[in-house]
Amino acid sequence: MMPYVRRCSGRAVTEATKGSLIGRGRLAESYPLQLEYPVMTQSTSLTHFDAKGQAHMVDVGGKPATHRVAVARGRIEMLPATLALIESGTSKKGDVLGIARIAGIMAAKRTSDLIPLCHPLALSRVAIDFECPPAQDGQAGAVVCTATVETTGPTGVEMEALTAVQVALLTIYDMCKAADRGMTINGVRLLEKHGGKSGSYVA
């Protein structure tokens, strides 16, 4: 496994400290760091198609099991009054964020059932974090969801992290749609991934 070392003003973030930073969903944004390990290489072909152009599940049987991490994020925007309902816990359906967190974790574990060519993986960690940035005058309220997924295996967990974010945000919509059907989900993207032959990617 390639060494995980990044620096900011002479401060190194190593494998030992990586977990705590990722766990707080702050690795990408709190440390605008210069990478000191090989960055992700871009493939020039679509691996889910064979030589005949037919879709297939990529054979990962010969790949070594390495530690994999992926962090994804997205947001759902809503009326300030809807955000107030969520924060106060007075939604008619109960604890919105608590249920959305469980939904995101469940979705990460079931990603291979939803995305046809994903491999079923034994996940070692799924963390779902929510932030509710204060709504400025005239701006929509929002809930930001960050999903961190880890495994030790032959393929990455980017799809698991992205699926977890999407389903967690959809759960918030479902639980609050009676109060606000105009909510919008946007900005869902991969923030970073680490591990595997292709190396690391940081958005």
Side-chain angles (χ1 to χ4, degrees):
M1 181 176 177
M2 67 182 67
Y4 187 106
V5 180
R6 309 174 73 183
R7 292 189 182 276
C8 180
S9 301
R11 177 181 176 185
V13 178
T14 64
E15 193 71 32
T17 58
K18 177 188 66 172
S20 63
L21 290 171
I22 291 178
R24 293 197 296 270
R26 296 171 56 188
L27 186 59
E29 58 212 61
S30 297
Y31 286 80
L33 313 175
Q34 180 179 359
L35 302 182
E36 295 188 359
Y37 48 79
V39 295
M40 182 176 179
T41 57
Q42 295 294 330
S43 174
T44 58
S45 61
L46 299 177
T47 57
H48 284 102
F49 293 95
D50 62 18
K52 297 179 180 179
Q54 298 176 334
H56 73 122
M57 179 180 281
V58 177
D59 183 3
V60 298
K63 297 174 67 176
T66 61
H67 182 226
R68 314 282 187 135
V69 184
V71 183
R73 177 170 294 160
R75 62 191 283 130
I76 181 168
E77 296 184 349
M78 61 196 70
L79 296 172
T82 308
L83 179 59
L85 280 175
I86 294 173
E87 291 182 307
S88 66
T90 56
S91 168
K92 291 182 179 180
K93 292 190 176 182
D95 180 6
V96 173
L97 298 185
I99 295 172
R101 178 175 288 107
I102 296 300
I105 293 171
M106 292 177 64
K109 296 192 294 183
R110 300 298 295 271
T111 298
S112 63
D113 291 336
L114 301 171
I115 310 298
L117 302 181
C118 275
H119 296 83
L121 298 174
L123 304 181
S124 57
R125 177 173 178 251
V126 181
I128 308 292
D129 295 307
F130 295 106
E131 299 175 58
C132 300
Q136 304 298 323
D137 291 341
Q139 294 184 347
V143 176
V144 178
C145 175
T146 302
T148 303
V149 181
E150 298 188 44
T151 191
T152 298
T155 190
V157 286
E158 298 97 311
M159 294 307 302
E160 284 73 12
L162 289 163
T163 301
V165 169
Q166 294 274 26
V167 171
L169 295 176
L170 283 169
T171 301
I172 293 174
Y173 185 97
D174 176 57
M175 296 189 69
C176 299
K177 65 182 183 292
D180 184 1
R181 295 187 185 273
M183 291 178 286
T184 59
I185 295 172
N186 54 61
V188 177
R189 62 174 183 149
L190 180 70
L191 290 183
E192 54 189 289
K193 62 83 65 179
H194 303 285
K197 182 179 178 180
S198 62
S200 293
Y201 165 85
V202 179

